Amino acid sequence: GAVVSQHPSRVICKSGTSVKIECRSLDFQATTMFWYRQFPKQSLMLMATSNEGSKATYEQGVEKDKFLINHASLTLSTLTVTSAHPEDSSFYICSVLTGYGYTFGSGTRLTVV
Amino acid sequence: DQQVKQNSPSLSVQEGRISILNCDYTNSMFDYFLWYKKYPAEGPTFLISISSIKDKNEDGRFTVFLNKSAKHLSLHIVPSQPGDSAVYFCAATPGAGSYQLTFGKGTKLSVIP
C-alpha cells in the first residue's frame, strides 16, 4: 500500500497564530486526500476532502476559511489552521485512498496555548 | 447523531483468550466496513474489512462478522496477544463512489499477559 508521511508530528503554537500541517503521499499519486480530526476519546471526524488542482470539499460545520487546504500536487496536501484558538487543539490525521484501501498518516498533535 | 457506534470504550482480556469488539451502525446505506488499529500518537492502520455481501471475513487471528439485519458487526481476535493492545476503530462507507469513512469512537483493548 501507499506510504503517507505527515509533518510535523507535534506542534505547539500561540493563540492567534497559524499552523501548517503537511501530508505527503510518498509512493502514490493521490488525486484525493482526506483530513480528519480526533478529539480525546472521540472518533476520527472527517473535516474535508482535498482534491488535487481544485477546491477542497468541507464537511458541514467545518470552517473553510479557518482550515485552509491546498492540494497543489499529486503528492502533497497541506492543512493550515489559521488564527488558531485553544479549542482547535486536537489530533489531525490525513489519509490517502489507493487501490489497496485507505492509508493514514501518523497524525499531528496540535496544542494551542 | 453517531452513525457508527462502539458502545464499549474499553475491554480487558487475558492473553490467549478471545477478544470480541462490537460495532453498530444506523445508516442502511453503508455497505463496506473496516476495522482499524491505532496506537497512541499514530495514525490508524488497516486491520480487516468486510463487504455487505458477506457475513464473515477471516484473516489469521482476526475475523469480522457482519449481521446486516441487526446492523451489527464484530471483530474477533483469537488468541489475543499482548501486542494486540491498542484502540480499535470500526469504520463504514457507503461505497458506490463515496470514499468517505465514518468512524466509531473506538474501543481500547488491553490484553493482559
Side-chain angles (χ1 to χ4, degrees):
Chain A
V3 177
V4 178
S5 174
Q6 192 172 336
H7 178 81
S9 58
R10 187 181 295 268
V11 58
I12 301 172
C13 72
K14 289 186 177 180
S15 188
T17 61
S18 296
V19 173
K20 181 185 283 188
I21 302 169
E22 292 186 348
C23 180
R24 292 183 184 273
S25 175
L26 300 183
D27 56 355
F28 179 79
Q29 294 189 320
T31 56
T32 304
M33 291 187 182
F34 304 90
W35 286 97
Y36 291 84
R37 179 171 55 184
Q38 184 191 17
F39 291 108
K41 297 185 180 180
Q42 298 297 313
S43 59
L44 283 78
M45 298 296 294
L46 180 66
M47 298 176 64
T49 302
S50 170
N51 304 299
E52 188 267 335
S54 65
K55 291 182 179 179
T57 305
Y58 290 82
E59 294 301 300
Q60 192 173 9
V62 179
E63 300 175 56
K64 61 180 181 181
D65 294 329
K66 181 170 183 61
F67 298 99
L68 300 179
I69 290 173
N70 184 283
H71 193 156
S73 78
L74 291 171
T75 58
L76 175 64
S77 175
T78 60
L79 168 68
T80 301
V81 183
T82 63
S83 187
H85 290 282
E87 56 264 32
D88 298 324
S89 299
S90 186
F91 192 58
Y92 293 85
I93 310 174
C94 67
S95 173
V96 168
L97 176 61
T98 73
Y100 299 99
Y102 298 87
T103 301
F104 288 83
S106 54
T108 298
R109 170 70 63 192
L110 170 63
T111 304
V112 184
V113 298
Chain B
D1 178 37
Q2 274 229 294
Q3 297 186 58
V4 178
K5 301 177 184 178
Q6 292 177 259
N7 292 320
S8 297
S10 63
L11 174 69
S12 288
V13 172
Q14 206 74 33
E15 180 179 4
R17 300 288 188 105
I18 185 171
S19 296
I20 301 176
L21 297 102
N22 294 302
C23 178
D24 297 289
Y25 62 96
T26 57
N27 189 338
S28 56
M29 298 299 291
F30 290 145
D31 71 351
Y32 193 70
F33 304 89
L34 309 94
W35 283 94
Y36 286 86
K37 181 179 179 179
K38 184 180 180 300
Y39 293 113
E42 292 184 11
T45 55
F46 173 74
L47 201 56
I48 193 170
S49 64
I50 189 167
S51 164
S52 61
I53 61 173
K54 290 187 168 184
D55 54 17
K56 177 183 176 181
N57 189 25
E58 195 171 351
D59 184 3
R61 296 185 298 114
F62 303 92
T63 303
V64 57
F65 295 92
L66 174 63
N67 182 333
K68 276 192 70 177
S69 60
K71 294 191 175 68
H72 176 84
L73 63 153
S74 60
L75 174 67
H76 293 212
I77 306 173
V78 55
S80 302
Q81 300 173 352
D84 296 329
S85 298
V87 177
Y88 289 79
F89 288 94
C90 171
T93 176
S98 170
Y99 305 114
Q100 297 180 356
L101 287 176
T102 301
F103 284 87
K105 289 187 178 182
T107 297
K108 183 176 181 181
L109 174 65
S110 299
V111 180
I112 304 160

